[in-house]
Amino acid sequence: MERPLVMGVLNVTPDSFSDGGRWASTEQAIAHGLELVAQGADIIDIGGESTRPGAVRPDAKEELARVLPVVEALSAEVVVSVDTMRAEIAGATIAAGAQIINDVSGGLGDSGMLRMVADAGVDYVCQHWRGHGAVMDNFASYADVVTEVLTETMGRVEAAVAAGIAPERIIIDPGLGFAKKAVHDWTLVGSLHRFVATGHRVLVGASRKRFLGAVLGGRAPDGRDVATAAVSVLCARQGVWAVRAHDVLAQRDALAVAMAVDDPMALPV
């Protein structure tokens, strides 16, 4: 078993569900990004738009102003991913050094996204999505959540390939919490091996999400990091490529334990 990469979350927003406003200034965001790198983040995922349930979208100018200087500063230090649904933002941040575009809409939020990513030749996270934050909870209905999410995700992968994105550049994400109830999220966590079996790298973003709170008595988001780490170990056991997390150190610790159990002979004497 290989250790999943850890993608550190850097929300440059005033309204993200867990840490909105904490890193809203450019200086605060850069400093926190460097802190996440020091904790062991392999990738920093920078986002200028909250995608939490009920979120109101900023305009493109505001989103770009939030993320562009942070991308410019951090891309020299670490692999940078940009969490955006807008082709305009993706293009500008790729020019500034971003190597991955993390599109939670799987190309449905902007008709120009897939072609732009294809032309840029960067990695693309294609996530399962059924609607923007303001309305997505209205679409949390499934007869067979794993099959439906996988089928819909692979439909977007086909669209990405048709637009010219190389298959090996595509990373899939089941979109935990996006148009899903807790029972759907937990069912998907137990079936991640089916996504891995597609041959695409799989990214999982469970960090501090409300389905964790559902088993923790409604605990606030900043009290869900241990539960997040438990999910990261489950991800590792199923061959997930990377986990997305707010608390990088907790995930690295949990994954180190999983790796030690898997291959104790590799430990330093």
Side-chain angles (χ1 to χ4, degrees), residues 128 130 141-155 172-176 179-198 238:
H128 179 261
R130 285 184 168 182
S141 178
Y142 303 88
D144 179 344
V145 66
V146 177
T147 297
E148 289 175 54
V149 169
L150 185 56
T151 299
E152 290 172 26
T153 302
M154 294 310 294
I172 60 174
D173 182 338
L176 301 180
K180 297 170 187 74
K181 299 175 182 177
V183 64
H184 302 139
D185 292 321
W186 285 114
T187 303
L188 287 164
V189 167
S191 302
L192 293 169
H193 59 279
R194 290 183 57 182
F195 292 81
V196 173
T198 65
Q238 296 180 78

Side-chain angles (χ1 to χ4, degrees), residues 81-174:
S81 167
V82 172
D83 181 353
T84 186
M85 291 180 274
R86 291 180 166 122
E88 173 187 351
I89 308 301
T93 54
I94 289 168
Q99 298 180 48
I100 303 170
I101 295 301
N102 181 11
D103 178 4
V104 301
S105 78
L108 292 170
D110 184 331
S111 62
M113 177 67 88
L114 298 180
R115 175 58 63 185
M116 192 286 306
V117 171
D119 291 343
V122 298
D123 283 1
Y124 179 67
V125 178
C126 182
Q127 187 194 277
H128 179 261
W129 188 82
R130 285 184 168 182
H132 288 290
V135 298
M136 66 181 178
D137 283 351
N138 298 332
F139 303 108
S141 178
Y142 303 88
D144 179 344
V145 66
V146 177
T147 297
E148 289 175 54
V149 169
L150 185 56
T151 299
E152 290 172 26
T153 302
M154 294 310 294
R156 298 312 302 159
V157 168
E158 292 176 6
V161 172
I165 301 178
E168 63 271 18
R169 289 284 193 183
I170 299 172
I171 301 156
I172 60 174
D173 182 338

Side-chain angles (χ1 to χ4, degrees), residues 11 31 34 69 81 100 108 123 134 199 211 218 225 253:
N11 291 319
L34 293 173
S81 167
I100 303 170
L108 292 170
D123 283 1
F211 78 98
D225 289 329
D253 287 353

